[in-house]
Amino acid sequence: MDIMEAQSGKATLCDPPGRILLPPPRCRVSAGAVPGRGGAASPAHPSVPAVDVPFQEYVEQLLKPQDPARLGSDTLYFFGDNNFTEWGPLFQHYVPPPFRIPGTSPAYSFGIAGSGSGVPFHWHGPGFSEVIFGRKRWFLYPPDKTPHFHPNETTLAWLQHTYPTLPPAQRPLECTLRPGEVLYFPDRWWHATLNLDTSVFISTFLG
């Protein structure tokens, strides 16, 4: 089942069984790479320029496999900065991991991205990432082990050019998430992601 179906000329997000969740009219997309330590394509980092586009336009024109030669700043990536008025019905259906930090409220970010896309190395507070559709590969380093990367290089380019040159002791921890699987990322751990397929995912930021 495709993640998108056409209904009355509008793009509609569906879950795998085909149950319609919502027809969001617009979405906000950000660049897939930013300068600086700890940058990410999310509203927590306002240095990333964001663009409002119709959701159907994003799916039909921008949701494509990553071009390995394209810079991160030229790659638009839908994740974070969700309009909770338009996307509220989706979050109402979502059952997050049952773990919390006392005295805090979790924040959710929903995303859809094409194969080969991802976010380069960055860090922030702790949380969870769950894949709803597709597969997402993760690369992680502890806070005291800064990875070697260019902030405007996509994760795909890093994987092709830098990763093969790393000796075993300098390689990151890795895993691949599939639908229904959740990863916990600790506080201030460096991490980068790579969508192996067209993917739908939700992150829960704690604290």
Side-chain angles (χ1 to χ4, degrees):
M1 170 73 68
D2 293 335
I3 62 170
M4 297 299 305
E5 289 185 353
Q7 286 215 342
S8 302
K10 295 183 179 180
T12 303
L13 179 68
C14 296
D15 64 7
R19 177 170 53 87
I20 296 173
L21 295 181
L22 72 166
R26 302 188 71 81
C27 65
R28 192 166 178 82
V29 292
S30 299
V34 296
R37 186 170 189 252
S42 76
H45 305 280
S47 62
V48 181
V51 181
D52 285 308
V53 299
F55 184 66
Q56 183 170 357
E57 178 181 330
Y58 173 75
V59 171
E60 294 178 349
Q61 300 182 23
L62 300 176
L63 189 64
K64 298 178 180 178
Q66 175 71 47
D67 180 352
R70 196 176 184 89
L71 294 176
S73 58
D74 296 328
T75 302
L76 293 177
Y77 188 81
F78 174 42
F79 176 65
D81 205 8
N82 300 132
N83 184 318
F84 281 82
T85 299
E86 297 175 351
W87 293 96
L90 182 142
F91 289 103
Q92 291 175 6
H93 283 280
Y94 180 61
V95 179
F99 304 100
R100 299 286 184 272
I101 295 177
T104 66
S105 298
Y108 305 117
S109 288
F110 164 69
I112 301 176
S115 62
S117 65
V119 179
F121 281 105
H122 63 286
W123 58 260
H124 43 64
F128 299 96
S129 179
E130 180 172 359
V131 168
I132 309 300
F133 183 95
R135 296 174 299 157
K136 181 185 288 287
R137 187 173 176 182
W138 279 73
F139 308 91
L140 302 101
Y141 285 101
D144 59 352
K145 197 171 183 179
T146 302
H148 176 70
F149 72 102
H150 188 283
N152 202 25
E153 182 180 49
T154 64
T155 303
L156 181 60
W158 174 87
L159 182 66
Q160 293 177 338
H161 302 143
T162 302
Y163 181 89
T165 69
L166 298 175
Q170 295 182 20
R171 291 198 172 185
L173 299 173
E174 302 178 42
C175 67
T176 297
L177 296 185
R178 294 171 173 79
E181 296 181 337
V182 180
L183 175 139
Y184 170 75
F185 46 86
D187 187 25
R188 295 181 178 270
W189 272 57
W190 288 96
H191 55 279
T193 61
L194 179 71
N195 296 296
L196 302 180
D197 313 300
T198 297
S199 300
V200 180
F201 42 90
I202 293 182
S203 288
T204 302
F205 296 96
L206 304 174

